[in-house]
Amino acid sequence: MSKLQETKQKLRGSIAPVVTPFKEDESLDLDTFKQLIDWQIASGSHAISVTGTSGEPSSLTLKERELVMETAIKAINGRVPFAPGTGSTNHQEALYLTKTAQEMGVDAAMVIVPYYNKPSQHALYKHYKTIADAVDIPIIVYNIPGRTGVNLEVKTLARLVEDCPNIIGVKESNKDFEHVNRVLLNCGRDFLLFSGIELLCYPMLTIGGSGSISATANVAPAQVAEMHNAWEEGNRERALELHYELMPLNDVLFKDTNPAPVKAALGMMGKIKPVLRMPMDLPNQALQDEIREVLKQYVELPDSVVSR
């Protein structure tokens, strides 16, 4: 079995997109970051990703992104697969970060569709092919049109899969369920399809998806991982039950822009200091109160939080 095939076999289930914790002065809090990774693995997450949307990559310098990846791979220490986000709106930065990730020994790199620039489909093809050709590691394309301003069309993705053997999967943060069905139809049933839309994590499994890269896994890693485990074990009833159990949490965590509600929730849980870098900020007080009430259904909050 080739390395690409091995990676396709093991990159499944709940890939937790871990947030980047900051100290009060907004510097990186790497000790807390390592604790988050340990907690994720102990909670059953099947793989780890960093510097995706939840990791605030656009608020990090290039050197900080390298440091976060380096810290993560050391903390993971081979216990689960590691697929960091290496994309950027800057092509050369994306190329550099993906090459750097390969040198670090990651299992795969997740490369987001460039944001703000709104490139054409032809330009997207050139961007991804150049990156894929420059490395040997597997690439997971990250399509999130709601934040990038452009949708990677199925025909473009299928062309890339045909021309680039190391493009093995896609994270679809795409609410168009017809689109994600056509991904597997056109890219092959063995192509890795990960849900980045929380309410579609379970439905994507039913059409042949491989798992999810869900921001909610930051807050409820055990429940998100269990849903995938139940599905793999053939316990469809339990998987569906967890899908609906998680829905109130999924809803409240996306009432403001990710990862603001997630970081607020983790702060309430005592896992991090709830700090974001501008232009991001924490949710308003009303939403924080709502997050706190919903959280009580899933985790035991510290007394200081519950009593507020």
Side-chain angles (χ1 to χ4, degrees):
M1 184 182 292
S2 70
K3 185 172 178 57
L4 282 177
Q5 290 173 321
E6 287 179 9
T7 302
K8 289 183 78 169
Q9 288 293 321
K10 65 183 182 180
L11 260 183
R12 303 204 171 243
S14 175
I15 302 176
V18 181
V19 300
T20 304
F22 300 123
K23 299 177 182 178
E24 293 289 355
D25 63 1
E26 297 188 9
S27 62
L28 294 176
D29 188 347
L30 296 178
D31 288 337
T32 297
F33 181 57
K34 289 182 281 189
Q35 291 169 12
L36 286 178
I37 289 173
D38 286 341
W39 177 57
Q40 284 289 336
I41 296 172
S43 298
S45 293
H46 303 101
I48 298 293
S49 184
V50 300
T51 58
T53 303
S54 298
E56 298 173 77
S58 61
S59 297
L60 304 176
T61 67
L62 202 58
K63 290 297 182 185
E64 284 176 329
R65 290 186 66 172
E66 290 181 70
L67 181 56
V68 168
M69 287 195 296
E70 182 181 19
T71 302
I73 199 167
K74 288 179 179 177
I76 295 166
N77 194 28
R79 290 178 287 173
V80 296
F82 178 44
T86 60
S88 172
T89 193
N90 181 304
H91 173 76
Q92 290 300 324
E93 283 188 3
L95 190 59
Y96 172 79
L97 286 166
T98 307
K99 288 180 176 180
T100 300
Q102 175 172 268
E103 292 169 3
M104 289 180 181
V106 305
D107 295 283
M110 184 173 65
V111 183
I112 194 170
V113 169
Y115 37 92
Y116 181 76
N117 293 331
K118 298 185 75 172
S120 68
Q121 295 299 306
H122 174 66
L124 286 172
Y125 174 85
K126 288 178 64 178
H127 172 72
Y128 277 106
K129 189 172 190 309
T130 301
I131 293 172
D133 287 348
V135 295
D136 297 322
I137 57 172
I139 301 293
I140 298 171
V141 174
Y142 180 10
N143 189 31
I144 180 168
R147 292 187 75 143
T148 63
V150 63
N151 183 43
L152 182 68
E153 295 176 4
V154 172
K155 63 181 180 181
T156 306
L157 181 59
R159 184 183 171 202
L160 282 165
V161 172
E162 182 177 354
D163 295 344
C164 308
N166 58 332
I167 293 182
I168 64 168
V170 62
K171 175 185 177 181
E172 281 286 356
S173 293
N174 196 323
K175 293 184 177 181
D176 184 346
F177 200 59
E178 180 178 337
H179 171 99
V180 297
N181 276 266
R182 296 191 184 281
V183 166
L184 290 182
L185 176 66
N186 289 272
C187 297
R189 297 280 293 279
D190 64 340
F191 190 63
L192 302 183
L193 172 65
F194 297 100
S195 176
I197 297 290
E198 278 60 27
L199 292 182
L200 294 183
C201 290
Y202 176 83
M204 280 200 199
L205 291 175
T206 69
I207 63 168
S210 302
S212 66
I213 307 174
S214 163
T216 302
N218 275 290
V219 177
Q223 293 95 319
V224 176
E226 187 189 349
M227 185 181 72
H228 291 284
N229 292 339
W231 176 265
E232 288 297 322
E233 293 163 3
N235 190 347
R236 306 295 192 254
E237 184 176 343
R238 178 57 179 157
L240 185 58
E241 181 182 356
L242 283 160
H243 166 70
Y244 284 109
E245 281 184 11
L246 285 164
M247 196 175 292
L249 183 60
N250 290 331
D251 286 345
V252 79
L253 291 180
F254 283 87
K255 288 194 173 183
D256 195 351
T257 305
N258 182 46
V262 167
K263 280 198 158 181
L266 287 170
M268 294 170 194
M269 295 164 65
K271 296 291 185 183
I272 66 169
K273 292 186 183 301
V275 177
L276 295 95
R277 286 179 176 174
M278 289 191 289
M280 299 292 288
D281 198 4
L282 289 171
N284 62 39
Q285 191 58 54
L287 180 51
Q288 289 194 48
D289 291 342
E290 185 178 352
I291 291 169
R292 186 179 301 108
E293 289 306 308
V294 172
L295 266 183
K296 292 176 185 178
Q297 303 173 37
Y298 299 89
V299 297
E300 186 175 343
L301 298 178
D303 290 341
S304 58
V305 174
V306 173
S307 61
R308 287 180 187 175

